[in-house]
């Protein structure tokens, strides 16, 4: 990414996926829009650190987005205004029950579930995004998935 035209192409190509990803982590679309905007600003500022290749570009952007979203969560928590993210009306792929279950997970676990399920990322890409070994992320994802399943199963029995 050397020119403004390259940045414009990245913005067009990755905004929908990054917006969905950040919305999943932050819990609301307005904060997610801010996070995506900050992601592209940081990407432009650090454009010379990107190595060529589509997989590197994708992982590089997701890593920036993940860290930006975490920074926003931390800032909100420090300001004591952080509350559990509310379900989104315009998020057709995630039910209210699943959103509530996702919100019980840590930000990393929530990000892993979103990256694996919604964005079909492999563990090598996740390792590049999060900067930790793929086997660790595989275990972490497996545990997060089991926790989600248990929470969702509990919800089914609450109605009885």
């Amino acid at each position: 990414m050397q020119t403004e035209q390259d940045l414009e192409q990245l913005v067009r190509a990755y905004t929908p996926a990054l917006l969905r990803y950040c919305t999943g982590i932050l819990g609301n679309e307005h904060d997610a829009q801010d996070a995506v905007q900050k992601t592209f600003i940081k990407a432009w500022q650090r454009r010379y650190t990107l190595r060529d290749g589509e997989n590197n570009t994708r992982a590089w952007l997701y890593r920036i987005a993940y860290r930006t979203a975490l920074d926003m969560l931390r800032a909100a928590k420090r300001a004591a205004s952080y509350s559990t993210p509310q379900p989104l009306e315009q998020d057709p792929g995630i039910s209210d029950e699943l959103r509530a279950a996702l919100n019980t997970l840590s930000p990393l676990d929530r990000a892993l579930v979103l990256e694996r399920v919604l964005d079909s990322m492999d563990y090598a890409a996740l390792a590049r995004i999060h900067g930790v070994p793929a086997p660790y992320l595989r275990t972490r994802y497996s545990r997060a998935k089991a926790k989600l399943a248990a929470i969702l199963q509990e919800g089914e029995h609450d109605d009885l």
Side-chain angles (χ1 to χ4, degrees):
M1 178 173 54
Q2 301 298 323
T3 68
E4 289 180 34
Q5 186 177 12
D6 294 338
L7 176 64
E8 194 173 316
Q9 289 173 343
L10 279 181
V11 169
R12 270 192 252 113
Y14 289 99
T15 294
L18 288 174
L19 186 59
R20 184 180 65 228
Y21 176 66
C22 289
T23 300
I25 293 172
L26 295 168
N28 73 67
E29 190 171 353
H30 296 291
D31 287 346
Q33 289 171 347
D34 289 344
V36 171
Q37 184 176 20
K38 289 176 184 179
T39 296
F40 286 116
I41 290 169
K42 289 176 183 178
W44 177 253
Q45 291 170 339
R46 300 176 188 152
R47 64 190 176 275
Y48 300 107
T49 65
L50 175 63
R51 286 181 247 126
D52 289 334
E54 184 179 337
N55 286 338
N56 284 336
T57 301
R58 183 179 186 207
W60 183 68
L61 286 172
Y62 270 80
R63 183 181 184 109
I64 294 170
Y66 174 70
R67 289 184 176 193
T68 300
L70 280 185
D71 288 346
M72 290 175 70
L73 284 175
R74 288 183 194 119
K77 200 169 193 175
R78 279 191 304 267
S81 65
Y82 177 75
S83 61
T84 303
Q86 297 300 312
L88 298 174
E89 296 172 21
Q90 60 268 63
D91 197 352
I94 300 178
S95 68
D96 290 346
E97 182 183 17
L98 180 56
R99 171 71 53 211
L102 279 169
N103 289 337
T104 66
L105 300 177
S106 71
L108 174 59
D109 291 345
R110 193 168 40 222
L112 289 173
V113 170
L114 294 169
E115 291 159 348
R116 289 284 297 152
V117 176
L118 294 180
D119 294 317
S120 304
M121 290 187 185
D122 62 17
Y123 291 104
L126 298 180
R128 286 191 301 272
I129 292 168
H130 298 287
V132 294
Y136 170 78
L137 293 174
R138 182 175 284 122
T139 300
R140 188 90 187 234
Y141 171 70
S142 179
R143 289 179 182 159
K145 199 168 61 168
K147 184 176 179 181
L148 270 179
I151 291 168
L152 292 171
Q153 193 171 27
E154 279 178 20
E156 290 175 7
H157 297 296
D158 288 345
D159 297 338
L160 299 178

